[in-house]
Amino acid sequence: MSTPETIEDATIQRVLARYPVVAESWGPKIPLREAPSGLINRTLLVGERYVLQRVNPIFGPKVNDDIHALTSHLSHAGLAVPLLIRNDVGALW
């Protein structure tokens, strides 16, 4: 019998498999751990380099376009910021 945790873990692994740069690093089982903080979005640390967030439904998926525009601009200006990674179909979510 599946528990809610194993169902959720399987869903998270399927989501991460859609991001080739992440999937290529670990294969079918990607190491995850809960981030030590966060109030609105569920945040998981993926290995030592990536972060996966389940954005709260109060935000539409298009919020990622705004985040991408802002962080790309800051990165091009020389600031070290986390950048969004596109999935296997080029989407930001």
Side-chain angles (χ1 to χ4, degrees), residues 11 14 26 28 33 35 37 41 43 51-52 60 65 72 74 80-81 90:
T11 300
R14 280 196 311 275
W26 290 284
R33 64 186 191 282
S37 63
N41 303 318
T43 304
V51 172
L52 174 68
D65 291 330
S72 293
L74 294 172
V81 293

Side-chain angles (χ1 to χ4, degrees), residues 12-59:
I12 291 168
Q13 294 294 327
R14 280 196 311 275
V15 168
L16 288 172
R18 301 284 311 268
Y19 292 83
V21 68
V22 175
E24 289 168 5
S25 298
W26 290 284
K29 185 63 176 165
I30 299 166
L32 302 171
R33 64 186 191 282
E34 293 282 341
S37 63
L39 299 174
I40 298 174
N41 303 318
R42 178 161 184 219
T43 304
L44 299 170
L45 304 176
V46 182
E48 297 299 319
R49 184 175 168 103
Y50 302 102
V51 172
L52 174 68
Q53 281 192 319
R54 178 183 299 151
V55 177
N56 190 294
I58 63 171
F59 303 106

